[in-house]
């Protein structure tokens, strides 16, 4: 019997962004320079495959600095940390390297600048996400107010109406949903201060635009990523809102929902910003074993962004 055929469309860009690539390099170079073990506070990026590969090389992932023994290097994750974390490290005289994505650090500096100008600050983001915890932790409790939804924006009441108002955003949000929230805030507070340059990172924006384009040509979309990865979860939502009824998150090829994809002839595949290309290849290979496939790439934009490593690792 002839093998069934499927068409796979790969989104471009997909997978690693410059901040994730830099963070992983920081751990690998620290292991080379200082030897194992190197401790990392929280997952360096939200992807178990990446974390487990680094563990095999000698990285040890912990929840808090209190879990780190004396006289070993410790790295802070790409999502950024509250100011209390490096303060604790310095108090313990620990050697630490900050792998915070430079685009997240930009949001931190914006928060400090607005606070210095005595402005009331709104952060658009998801409660409990490490990036949000880190950004809110740049200032004393209560200085930054979290807005998660359009409804929150409609109900928001400034504590100091006479003060200036500014908003910041988590870097990995849905572009469209964030725009809806910002539109409400700007309508209610016409003089609200916006970021000088968009806070949502280039990679998040590009991957969401690529998935919108992908969804036009597919009857199913698979997003390779992790359920605790904000940018990956947003890709599933974007594909669904773009008209793809079957939009699924998979961490590995073993998670592919074959039954749901039975009637899909054209399947789009993308990967969140913390998912490596090896996992894309693994998923494609899984399809190849079951079907006669054709593979095509749909390029929506090109990326050439790189970030420098910390000086301590450059030598």
């Amino acid at each position: 019997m002839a093998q069934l055929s499927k068409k796979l469309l790969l989104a471009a860009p997909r997978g690693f962004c410059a901040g994730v690539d830099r963070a992983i390099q920081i751990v690998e170079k620290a292991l080379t320079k200082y030897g194992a073990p190197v401790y990392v506070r929280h997952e360096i990026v939200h992807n178990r495959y990446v974390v487990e590969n680094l563990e095999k090389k000698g990285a040890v992932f912990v929840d808090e600095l209190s879990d780190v023994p004396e006289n070993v290097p410790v790295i802070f994750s790409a999502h950024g940390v509250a100011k209390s974390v490096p303060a604790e490290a310095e108090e313990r005289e620990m050697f630490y390297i900050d792998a915070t994505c430079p685009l997240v650090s930009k949001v931190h500096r914006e928060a400090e600048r607005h606070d210095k100008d005595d402005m009331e600050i709104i952060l658009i983001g998801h409660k409990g996400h490490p990036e949000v915890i880190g950004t809110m932790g740049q200032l004393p409790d209560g200085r930054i107010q979290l807005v998660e939804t359009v409804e929150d924006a409609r109900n928001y009441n400034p504590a100091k109406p006479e003060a200036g108002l500014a908003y910041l955003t988590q870097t990995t949000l849905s572009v469209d949903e964030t725009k809806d929230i910002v539109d409400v805030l700007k309508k209610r507070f016409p003089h609200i201060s916006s970021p000088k340059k968009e806070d949502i990172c280039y990679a998040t924006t590009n991957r969401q635009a690529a998935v919108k384009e992908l969804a036009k040509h597919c009857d199913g979309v698979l997003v390779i990523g992790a359920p605790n990865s904000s940018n990956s979860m947003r890709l599933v939502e974007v594909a669904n809102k773009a008209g793809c009824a079957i939009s699924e998150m998979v961490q590995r090829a073993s998670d592919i929902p074959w039954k749901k994809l039975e009637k899909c002839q054209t399947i789009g595949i993308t990967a969140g910003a913390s998912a490596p290309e090896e996992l894309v290849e693994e998923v494609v290979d899984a399809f190849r074993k079951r079907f006669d496939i054709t593979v095509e790439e749909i390029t929506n934009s090109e990326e050439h962004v790189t970030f420098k490593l910390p000086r301590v690792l450059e030598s």
Side-chain angles (χ1 to χ4, degrees):
M1 195 170 89
Q3 197 172 21
L4 292 172
S5 63
K6 300 273 187 194
K7 185 174 185 179
L8 303 184
L9 297 181
L10 306 184
R14 62 179 178 272
F16 279 0
C17 62
V20 164
D21 192 47
R22 173 181 180 268
I24 293 167
Q25 280 190 64
I26 286 172
V27 178
E28 290 176 337
K29 286 186 177 290
L31 284 163
T32 299
K33 185 167 184 177
Y34 305 110
V38 166
Y39 279 69
V40 185
R41 184 185 177 276
H42 292 179
E43 290 188 342
I44 188 69
V45 296
H46 283 157
N47 189 279
R48 283 307 307 165
Y49 178 84
V50 170
V51 167
E52 286 166 8
N53 275 350
L54 292 172
E55 284 175 334
K56 289 171 188 172
K57 295 176 182 179
V60 179
F61 292 85
V62 296
D63 290 330
E64 299 299 341
L65 289 186
S66 56
D67 301 319
V68 180
E70 302 299 319
N71 302 317
V72 293
V74 62
I75 296 170
F76 303 152
S77 81
H79 310 101
V81 294
K83 280 199 169 170
S84 58
V85 176
E88 180 188 343
E90 284 165 17
E91 189 178 324
R92 285 183 56 189
E93 298 183 346
M94 303 174 86
F95 171 61
Y96 67 87
I97 302 171
D98 190 353
T100 300
C101 173
L103 298 179
V104 175
S105 296
K106 176 184 83 74
V107 178
H108 292 180
R109 301 295 80 78
E110 286 172 343
E112 290 176 329
R113 189 180 72 251
H114 290 317
D115 188 60
K116 190 176 178 183
D117 293 339
D118 201 30
M119 299 180 84
E120 190 163 332
I121 304 166
I122 293 170
L123 175 64
I124 302 170
H126 295 300
K127 186 177 182 180
H129 189 278
E131 184 186 326
V132 166
I133 293 169
T135 298
M136 295 186 77
Q138 298 306 300
L139 301 174
D141 285 351
R143 298 281 180 89
I144 298 177
Q145 304 302 317
L146 185 64
V147 165
E148 296 190 79
T149 64
V150 167
E151 193 63 27
D152 288 347
R154 289 195 186 111
N155 295 330
Y156 181 79
N157 291 309
K160 299 187 293 181
E162 72 284 354
L165 193 61
Y167 77 85
L168 309 168
T169 78
Q170 182 182 333
T171 64
T172 55
L173 297 178
S174 159
V175 174
D176 293 336
E177 283 188 17
T178 304
K179 180 183 180 300
D180 291 343
I181 294 170
V182 169
D183 286 347
V184 170
L185 291 173
K186 285 184 173 179
K187 189 173 181 180
R188 292 190 62 213
F189 311 107
H191 301 295
I192 192 169
S193 177
S194 307
K196 288 182 180 175
K197 190 177 179 186
E198 183 64 62
D199 282 343
I200 295 178
C201 91
Y202 77 94
T204 298
T205 302
N206 290 350
R207 277 150 192 70
Q208 289 179 21
V211 161
K212 280 185 188 176
E213 183 60 33
L214 195 69
K216 294 176 187 176
H217 309 282
C218 302
D219 33 29
V221 168
L222 296 180
V223 176
I224 301 165
N228 61 338
S229 164
S230 176
N231 78 83
S232 298
M233 292 301 291
R234 301 296 79 75
L235 290 176
V236 177
E237 292 168 8
V238 168
N240 192 262
K241 287 180 180 176
C244 221
I246 299 173
S247 306
E248 296 287 329
M249 161 84 71
V250 295
Q251 297 194 67
R252 301 289 301 267
S254 55
D255 302 324
I256 297 171
W258 299 111
K259 193 74 177 168
K260 285 187 179 180
L261 298 173
E262 243 176 13
K263 295 180 181 178
C264 297
Q265 288 305 306
T266 305
I267 297 155
I269 297 173
T270 190
S274 48
E277 187 63 14
E278 300 100 281
L279 298 187
V280 176
E281 292 166 3
E282 180 185 276
V283 167
V284 172
D285 284 343
F287 274 92
R288 190 173 283 117
K289 286 172 184 172
R290 285 174 173 250
F291 306 104
D292 179 17
I293 65 167
T294 57
V295 182
E296 185 184 322
E297 190 166 74
I298 293 185
T299 302
N300 198 65
S301 61
E302 293 185 1
E303 295 176 349
H304 305 286
V305 179
T306 57
F307 295 132
K308 286 184 177 179
L309 295 176
R311 264 185 214 161
V312 71
L313 295 175
E314 284 181 342
S315 56

